[in-house]
Amino acid sequence: MTDPRYAIGIDLGTTHSALSYVDLAGSDGEKTQQAVLGVPQLTAPGTVEDLPLLPSFLYLPHPDELAPGELALPWSTAGEDGQLRAIAGEMARSRGATTPIRLVSSAKSWLCHPGVDRRAAILPNDAPEEVARVSPLTASTRYLDHLRKAWDNAHPDAPFTQQAVTVTIPASFDPAARELTAEAARTAGYDNVTLLEEPQAALYSWIQGSEGRWRKDVKPGDIILVVDVGGGTSDFSLIAILERDGVLEPHRVAVGDHILLGGDNMDLALAHLVARKLAANGTQLDPWQLRALTYGCRAAKENLLADASADSWPIVVPSRGSKLIGGSIRTELTRDEVTAFITDGFFPTVEASARPAVRTRAGLTQLGLPYAQDAAITRHLAAFLGRQKGATAELAGFADAQNGDHSFLHPSAVLFNGGVFKSALLARRVMDTLNDWLYMEGAEPARMLGGADLDLAVARGAAYYSYVRRGAGVRIRGGTARAYYVAVESSMPAIPGMEPPIQALCVAPFGMEEGSELELPGQEFGLVVGEPVDFRFFGSSTRRQDHIGTVLDFWGPDELIELNAIQATLSPEGRQAGDVVQVRLHARATEAGTLELLAVATDGQRWKVEFDVRTAA
């Protein structure tokens, strides 16, 4: 690869995607020349506009719905290169609001759903048989492909494939979801992509945007809580500020578990609120109309929360024929309804000891996303801070600040990210709740870090990170956000009604630095080649003391979370199918931000043990 001219950052979001870039030739340290790409996209049939955000929606039109010329983009016409005849961006979102059975949304959330085959054509998941479907992987690839072509269209003298590119992911993505994102990028033509956690990207953007002033806003010993509530997920990260040789150095010390709870949930909740209002007046909506109503509520929420001068927002629910209702249904949501419903429902005032409610699930459920059972983001935040109360115990300069009487880790600053926090009311509710917790434990109140660009911070931060990776600017340290384990089944005689107990073997410790490879000491395994081989797989965001090779006989329910199985059919490469090869396991944290397991035979032959990205058995 030739030396890049630009460092590119891409926010592959649940509801919006964006591309920002830094001109490497005109940048010096934290003073960077940064811009956001206007992304050409269809806004109506035959109409192309450049917008700073590419809505992450894919519309699958009926073959006779639109003429080919109405789908043309500056770099192609519909169907070129054998691509699916589909629309990405603003027109997809607006047209899909009235025809939701043809709209693919939340592909990013489906991409990390372990209960489905993410390479299978399953979206839209509730579409009738006559509607063509795509996989979550394909939809994600299409958004990334659109951004790459938009860049090449705007910068023909600086091809995308020759630039330094970073794509963001939720901090809570497991190795399988990370690898799928990397695969989508490779399929879209991203030759050398790096993955970055979204909360880190938000902090990078805040650092870069301050032009050096961030050193006055934070000090050694500070703990920054990043609260990132986007369209599909709620992500929490903790970043400690250390001082080394007189220089401030941010260290990411913890990330939260994957919480499928965000703007999508709020839209659906508002839709049910409106549906109940309509039902009280004698108008009953069917499932198709409820889905269309959800998109209308999204627009109402975004406009009412962002614009304090707007008192209400009109909502139109399309009719499916005169026999059913007789015409489109018109109603509205008021600003007071939206703010009260979302504030009290999703950001209730709770105590620090509060935890998310867990209910017993029904034995049968519709195929859908595994949303969080408790909608209260503040309860999830309380649980996260409670689990992480010892996260800084081993950091230089933080040990003396530990207090055994504290029930949760005490942040001293908060950085918000995600479109939900365009409403100052919601950010204030989180700050008030957190500071109530701190007050009850005798701590100083946390301060809010301002100046964040809630729509573009992640893309801007990713571009700055691409720049930082080349040796300039401020680097956030931390390594892998979790420790990872595989299950080892005990060898014992069969006992009726009892499964063999398992141990958890640490194969990648917390904080493993990117670019490093570690060998599992003193452990050898028999690896079956030419036939499927399985491992159960666990992750922990709290066990920082375990090193590679640590064996756990017991663990608490909050210590280890079972993730996808690792499955592979490894090439025999000169051996017979079914042969058992004596191997040692190695863990490798790649520079791209993914994690690999390698099985290495005594003769040096190596197999990459892929993390499962198919349906768990």
Side-chain angles (χ1 to χ4, degrees), residues 113-138:
H113 186 354
V116 299
D117 184 347
R118 289 159 281 183
R119 289 193 173 91
I122 59 174
L123 300 179
N125 67 300
D126 55 356
E129 291 185 2
E130 65 268 18
V131 175
R133 300 190 185 198
V134 299
S135 70
L137 182 63
T138 296

Side-chain angles (χ1 to χ4, degrees), residues 284-307:
Q284 194 71 37
L285 303 183
D286 67 10
W288 180 87
Q289 289 175 305
L290 182 62
R291 185 171 174 188
L293 175 60
T294 302
Y295 293 109
C297 288
R298 171 180 289 146
K301 177 200 70 180
E302 291 175 351
N303 285 277
L304 291 172
L305 290 181
D307 183 2

Side-chain angles (χ1 to χ4, degrees), residues 81-82 91 175 180 186 207 277 290 353 385 454 486 540 566 590 602:
D81 304 323
M91 180 177 162
L180 272 170
R186 290 191 296 268
I207 289 173
K277 288 170 56 178
L290 182 62
S353 59
L385 293 176
L454 296 171
V486 292
S540 174
I566 300 174
T590 71
T602 54

Side-chain angles (χ1 to χ4, degrees), residues 401-450:
Q402 296 294 310
N403 187 327
D405 295 332
H406 291 171
S407 64
F408 65 97
L409 187 140
H410 292 180
S412 53
V414 179
L415 179 67
F416 289 103
N417 189 55
V420 167
F421 292 115
K422 286 182 179 180
S423 169
L425 177 68
L426 300 183
R428 187 163 59 248
R429 171 58 68 91
V430 174
M431 291 301 302
D432 289 346
T433 302
L434 174 62
N435 283 330
D436 283 346
W437 300 344
L438 293 168
Y439 174 79
M440 294 302 293
E441 297 200 350
E444 292 293 320
R447 60 196 184 277
M448 186 170 75
L449 301 178

